């Protein structure tokens, strides 16, 4: 069951099953959320992803729901620590994001919320690619330092409102995102370069600036929910996951 937190926020740690794959997730929904942002992780358990959890907190402060999702199984994450194979397989990661998107649209708790993606580095590339697969389900996407070089041929199919954020000191990523920006077909697209920030945005205030820009973008392009969230919570079942067709 969901845990009621202060300030009318619902939180749940859950396992989402996509076919035979089980993925770890943390779902937090503020009351009257303006949309839900999918934030993928690939470097291990989301419990230890402190920067992503902090970033999600900043989004929720602006009235957005968040779902942090580990796109890799425990076995895949273990192998990836040595080979980096899975985190660079953008199509593999994007297929998992598509599965999560379908889960959100089918789940009674979240189906009334419009969906946005936020991804960093390889996950940013996966978010952009997944948005091309679900153009009617994803209302906006933000990529921070996204690895657009791993799937550039698909960018011409991206019609979702897209914000690309890059650090001003991250010169290789600036170049690839400038190229990506020119290829994206969406009429609503923007490239923001944050001065003095590097690829990981560890500099003081850099991550907060990313959150500010992302919040503005999501609020602009995600409509307000049409269904009262408390009604959805009361009518939801205790099932924590649904079985979907495996997109891998």
């Amino acid at each position: 069951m969901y845990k009621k937190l202060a300030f009318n926020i619902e939180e749940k740690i859950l396992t989402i099953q996509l076919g035979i794959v089980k993925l770890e997730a943390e779902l937090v929904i503020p009351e009257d959320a303006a949309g839900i942002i999918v934030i993928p992780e690939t470097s291990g358990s989301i419990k230890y992803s402190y920067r992503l959890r902090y970033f999600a907190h900043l989004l929720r402060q602006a009235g957005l729901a968040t779902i942090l999702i580990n796109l890799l199984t425990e076995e895949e994450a273990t192998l990836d620590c040595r080979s980096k194979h899975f985190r660079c397989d953008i199509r593999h990661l994007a297929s998992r994001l598509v599965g999560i998107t379908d889960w959100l649209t089918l789940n009674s708790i979240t189906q009334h919320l419009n969906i946005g993606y936020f991804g960093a580095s390889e996950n940013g590339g996966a978010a952009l690619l997944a948005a091309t697969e679900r153009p009617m389900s994803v209302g906006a996407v933000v990529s921070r330092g996204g690895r657009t070089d791993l799937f550039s041929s698909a960018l011409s199919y991206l019609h979702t409102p897209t914000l690309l954020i890059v650090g001003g000191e991250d010169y290789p990523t600036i170049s690839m995102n400038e190229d990506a920006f020119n290829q994206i077909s969406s009429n609503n697209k923007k490239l923001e370069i944050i001065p003095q920030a590097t690829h990981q945005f560890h500099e003081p205030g850099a991550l907060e600036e990313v959150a500010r820009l992302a919040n503005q973008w999501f609020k602009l392009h995600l409509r307000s929910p049409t269904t009262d969230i408390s009604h959805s919570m009361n009518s939801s079942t205790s099932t924590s996951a649904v079985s979907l067709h495996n997109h891998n």
Side-chain angles (χ1 to χ4, degrees), residues 144-174:
R144 192 209 79 193
R147 288 289 307 275
T148 57
D149 59 314
L150 298 175
F151 70 103
S152 59
S153 61
L155 287 168
S156 62
Y157 298 98
L158 180 58
H159 299 281
T160 303
T162 300
L163 172 63
L164 305 176
I165 302 175
V166 188
E169 301 297 317
D170 188 9
Y171 300 112
T173 309
I174 290 175

Side-chain angles (χ1 to χ4, degrees), residues 175-194:
S175 179
M176 71 175 68
N177 275 256
E178 287 175 338
D179 290 342
F181 181 83
N182 292 327
Q183 296 178 60
I184 292 171
S185 296
S186 176
N187 293 324
N188 295 303
K189 60 180 180 178
K190 191 172 185 180
L191 172 62
E192 290 276 5
I193 299 177
I194 298 180

Side-chain angles (χ1 to χ4, degrees), residues 40-111:
E41 171 64 285
T42 54
S43 61
S45 174
I46 58 175
K47 292 183 294 184
Y48 305 110
S49 301
Y50 301 115
R51 280 168 54 80
L52 272 186
R53 290 169 66 87
Y54 173 62
F55 181 81
H57 167 73
L58 294 176
L59 294 185
R60 292 194 296 271
Q61 283 189 319
L64 292 163
T66 60
I67 180 167
L68 274 70
I69 179 74
N70 194 341
L71 296 183
L72 301 182
T73 65
E74 185 176 344
E75 294 78 11
E76 289 171 338
T78 299
L79 291 171
D80 205 56
C81 287
R82 297 191 297 268
S83 68
K84 302 294 189 292
H85 168 72
F86 289 106
R87 75 180 61 185
C88 290
D89 188 345
I90 297 298
R91 295 192 180 279
H92 179 68
L93 300 179
S95 71
R96 295 277 171 86
L97 271 176
V98 168
I100 296 302
T101 304
D102 292 344
W103 184 88
L104 291 170
T105 60
L106 292 174
N107 194 303
S108 62
I109 298 167
T110 56
Q111 61 187 191

Side-chain angles (χ1 to χ4, degrees), residues 8-60:
N8 295 317
I9 293 177
E10 304 287 346
E11 178 181 21
K12 186 172 179 63
I13 304 298
L14 68 163
T15 298
I16 296 178
Q17 185 158 348
L18 307 178
I20 62 172
V21 176
K22 294 181 179 180
L23 303 178
E24 175 193 28
E26 179 184 83
L27 175 64
V28 185
I29 307 179
E31 190 173 33
D32 299 324
I36 185 165
I37 311 306
V38 183
I39 307 174
E41 171 64 285
T42 54
S43 61
S45 174
I46 58 175
K47 292 183 294 184
Y48 305 110
S49 301
Y50 301 115
R51 280 168 54 80
L52 272 186
R53 290 169 66 87
Y54 173 62
F55 181 81
H57 167 73
L58 294 176
L59 294 185
R60 292 194 296 271

